[in-house]
Amino acid sequence: MKNMKKRLTGLFVTLVMLMTMLMAVPVSASLADFSEEEKLAIRQSAESYLSSVFVMDDTQLEGLKEYGNFYEIMGNALLDSREELGDFVELEVVNQKDVDNKGAEPQYSTIDETEENIYVTLMAKFTNYDAEVIMSFDETASTPVNFVMNTQYSLGEKMAQAGVNTITGILIVFIILLFLAFLISLFKYVNPAARKKKAAPAPAAAPAPKKAAPAPVVETVDVASNDEEIIAVIAAAIAAAEADGTATGDSYVVRSIKRVGNTRSWKRA
C-alpha cells in the first residue's frame, strides 16, 4: 500500500510540475515573440521536470506511459536506455566557458525552433554514459509533443561500432551473393529433358542434288532425203561400171561392210 501511494504521489507531482511549466509559458505564435525571460522560464521548467522524471523507477515510468502520447514516448525512451545509461547523476552545464571566464549564470539547456516545433535541448550525465535529451513542444510551447535521448559514445566506441557495421554489411552482401550463385547452379536440374532437347545438335543439311548430265543432242537426219541420195549414188556407180565393160555382175563380190559416216544410212541401204 505504501509503495502504491508513493508511486501515485510521484506521478501526481510530476504531472503538476509539467502543468505548472506549461501554464507559466504564454501562448505565442513564434519563439521570436518570447522575451528572454519567457525563454528562460521555458528552459528552467523543462530542466526541473526532466530532472524529476530521470529519477523515477521502472514502475513509475510504466504508470506515466498510461497517459499516452508524449508520456508514452518519454516513458519508453527512458526504459529502453536505462540499462545502458545507468542511474541519473546530474544535468551538465552547457555554457561552462562563460561561467568560468565571465562568471555568467550556469545554463543547463538551450532552446531553438523550427517552423513547427520548439526544442529544449540539455545534456544529462548518467553513471555509464552522458545523453543528449531533446524535448519538443508545439509552436506555441504549450504542449509537449516528442522526447528523444541520444547516447553520447566515445570516439573509440563510435569507430568500433562503425567497423562492426561495415564488416556486418560486407558479410551480408557475400552471403547473399553465395546464395544467388547456389540458386543459379540449381537451374540445370529444372526440366532437364527440355535442356537436353535444346542442347541436341541440329541435323546436318542434306547435300544439294547433283545436276543431271545434259542429254546428248541427237542430230535429226531427214532419212527420206538421205536414202534417196544414197540410192542414186549407188545406182550411178553401178551404171558407170557396167558401161565401162570392165565389170560384170559376176566380177565383184561384197566381202565386208564397214560403217562409214551415218550408220542409219547404211542400214537403210
Side-chain angles (χ1 to χ4, degrees):
M1 180 64 70
K2 289 183 178 180
N3 290 336
M4 180 63 70
K5 185 175 181 181
K6 183 178 179 180
R7 289 197 296 268
L8 293 176
T9 301
L11 291 174
F12 177 75
V13 171
T14 303
L15 292 175
V16 169
M17 290 180 62
L18 179 60
M19 293 301 297
T20 302
M21 176 189 73
L22 298 178
M23 291 176 63
V25 178
V27 176
S28 176
S30 172
L31 187 62
D33 297 331
F34 291 141
S35 65
E36 292 300 322
E37 289 76 12
E38 291 171 338
K39 294 178 183 179
L40 179 61
I42 296 173
R43 292 192 292 105
Q44 290 179 342
S45 298
E47 293 165 8
S48 300
Y49 176 70
L50 293 177
S51 296
S52 64
V53 172
F54 289 154
V55 297
M56 286 185 174
D57 57 25
D58 292 352
T59 304
Q60 291 174 324
L61 291 175
E62 290 292 345
L64 189 64
K65 288 169 55 178
E66 295 179 0
Y67 291 92
N69 298 329
F70 166 78
Y71 304 100
E72 184 176 3
I73 296 173
M74 181 173 62
N76 286 330
L78 291 171
L79 289 171
D80 293 341
S81 61
R82 172 154 291 180
E83 182 176 356
E84 181 182 41
L85 295 176
D87 297 329
F88 174 67
V89 178
E90 62 181 357
L91 298 179
E92 294 186 0
V93 178
V94 296
N95 64 334
Q96 189 63 51
K97 291 184 179 180
D98 293 337
V99 173
D100 295 337
N101 298 332
K102 302 177 182 179
E105 290 292 329
Q107 297 179 8
Y108 300 94
S109 62
T110 58
I111 188 168
D112 199 1
E113 71 170 342
T114 61
E115 294 181 358
E116 298 179 354
N117 298 107
I118 295 174
Y119 299 90
V120 174
T121 304
L122 54 86
M123 295 296 297
K125 181 178 291 187
F126 295 83
T127 54
N128 297 333
Y129 292 100
D130 295 346
E132 180 188 43
V133 183
I134 303 174
M135 186 175 179
S136 59
F137 302 84
D138 62 7
E139 60 183 3
T140 64
S142 60
T143 305
V145 294
N146 200 9
F147 181 88
V148 178
M149 294 188 70
N150 299 318
T151 303
Q152 302 298 296
Y153 298 103
S154 64
L155 179 60
E157 291 172 327
K158 291 179 180 179
M159 294 295 292
Q161 186 62 42
V164 171
N165 293 338
T166 301
I167 294 174
T168 302
I170 293 174
L171 288 176
I172 291 174
V173 170
F174 273 103
I175 290 173
I176 293 175
L177 290 176
L178 290 174
F179 180 71
L180 291 176
F182 173 72
L183 288 181
I184 293 172
S185 67
L186 295 179
F187 287 174
K188 61 184 179 182
Y189 299 107
V190 178
N191 197 4
R195 290 178 60 86
K196 289 181 179 179
K197 184 177 180 181
K198 183 177 180 180
K210 295 182 178 179
K211 293 184 178 180
V217 179
V218 180
E219 183 179 357
T220 58
V221 181
D222 190 351
V223 178
S225 61
N226 287 347
D227 288 349
E228 291 177 357
E229 291 176 0
I230 293 171
I231 293 171
V233 170
I234 293 173
I238 293 173
E242 289 180 350
D244 229 1
T246 59
T248 62
D250 298 330
S251 61
Y252 59 89
V253 178
V254 177
R255 300 291 185 184
S256 64
I257 299 176
K258 293 183 180 181
R259 183 176 61 188
V260 177
N262 194 332
T263 304
R264 291 184 180 183
S265 298
W266 281 101
K267 289 182 178 181
R268 296 289 296 179

